[in-house]
Amino acid sequence: FDTTPDASQLYNVVLQGFGYSMKDAVCDIQDNSVDAGAKNITVVFEQAAGQQNKETGGAYVEMIWVIDDGCGMNKERLQKSFIFSTKVPHAEGSLGHFGAGGSAASFSIAEDKYVLTKEANSQLLVGTLSINSFNESGSFKDTGMMRAANDTEKVFFMKELGIKESNFAGCHGTIVGLTKINKNLNTTA
């Protein structure tokens, strides 16, 4: 018999109820950067214009970017980075162990995950997944998307990582973007 979980239920109910704080979720994503050998990690919280929390007075977080200069990912690894609980080999001493942290963290605090990633001397890839993409049957099939980056994404990647065009071929790194942040976290910036 098949024990595949209902994708919509897993992402919309189970992960949202994990109890991740914004801080813990971002730290889990940063752990992946550390494991990728990043020497520089930047976290950017973008505020939602005009949407203030009445209790704190701060603006709600609209988008989170985690930017690193780690080794980047190839197509296979990028796809696996979107799968909740996957078998990914972890080096001895790495912070990750279970193949669930990045996905669990991302989707416990946000509805959409967008990744730009590049290994040295490889093409810049884009991966996306929205928890709203699961079909009515609850299937995981064909819900994520992967493609080569366009010129606008390449410029954004180079800008955020401080890379010049002349150094692009040999550069590496990853940018994880989270949007539609769970407002129930009441996190403001």
Side-chain angles (χ1 to χ4, degrees):
F1 55 90
D2 183 10
T3 60
T4 303
D6 180 278
S8 180
Q9 185 77 1
L10 176 64
Y11 280 88
N12 287 306
V13 178
V14 176
L15 288 180
Q16 297 291 319
F18 257 17
Y20 264 103
S21 69
M22 180 78 67
K23 176 184 165 194
D24 291 340
V26 171
C27 285
D28 254 3
I29 296 166
Q30 286 178 296
D31 286 351
N32 292 336
S33 299
V34 171
D35 287 347
K39 291 182 176 61
N40 298 290
I41 304 169
T42 303
V43 179
V44 177
F45 294 89
E46 290 187 17
Q47 296 178 332
Q51 295 183 11
Q52 288 195 323
N53 181 313
K54 292 178 183 176
E55 293 176 26
T56 67
Y60 283 103
V61 175
E62 181 174 63
M63 179 177 278
I64 301 169
W65 296 101
V66 179
I67 304 157
D68 74 54
D69 62 356
C71 63
M73 293 180 272
N74 60 24
K75 287 180 180 181
E76 179 184 356
R77 194 138 188 135
L78 176 58
Q79 181 180 356
K80 286 184 176 186
S81 78
F82 282 88
I83 299 172
F84 180 75
S85 190
T86 185
K87 290 183 180 181
V88 176
H90 291 91
E92 186 174 325
S94 69
L95 299 171
H97 296 286
F98 306 110
S103 293
S106 297
F107 293 108
S108 68
I109 63 170
E111 291 183 19
D112 297 337
K113 180 179 176 184
Y114 170 84
V115 177
L116 281 164
T117 190
K118 182 181 180 306
E119 292 181 313
N121 302 309
S122 294
Q123 94 183 122
L124 179 61
L125 300 171
V126 176
T128 62
L129 180 65
S130 171
I131 61 174
N132 298 314
S133 65
F134 301 111
N135 62 32
E136 290 181 18
S137 71
S139 173
F140 284 93
K141 187 171 176 56
D142 299 325
T143 54
M145 191 271 309
M146 185 182 349
R147 60 177 170 77
N150 62 37
D151 289 340
T152 303
E153 291 162 330
K154 178 182 175 184
V155 168
F156 175 73
F157 184 82
M158 291 189 330
K159 177 183 166 271
E160 293 302 319
L161 285 159
I163 298 164
K164 295 179 182 171
E165 182 68 41
S166 58
N167 298 328
F168 182 73
C171 79
H172 47 81
T174 299
I175 299 175
V176 176
L178 303 175
T179 61
K180 296 183 183 170
I181 305 300
N182 182 347
K183 291 215 180 358
N184 292 330
L185 295 173
N186 289 323
T187 301
T188 57

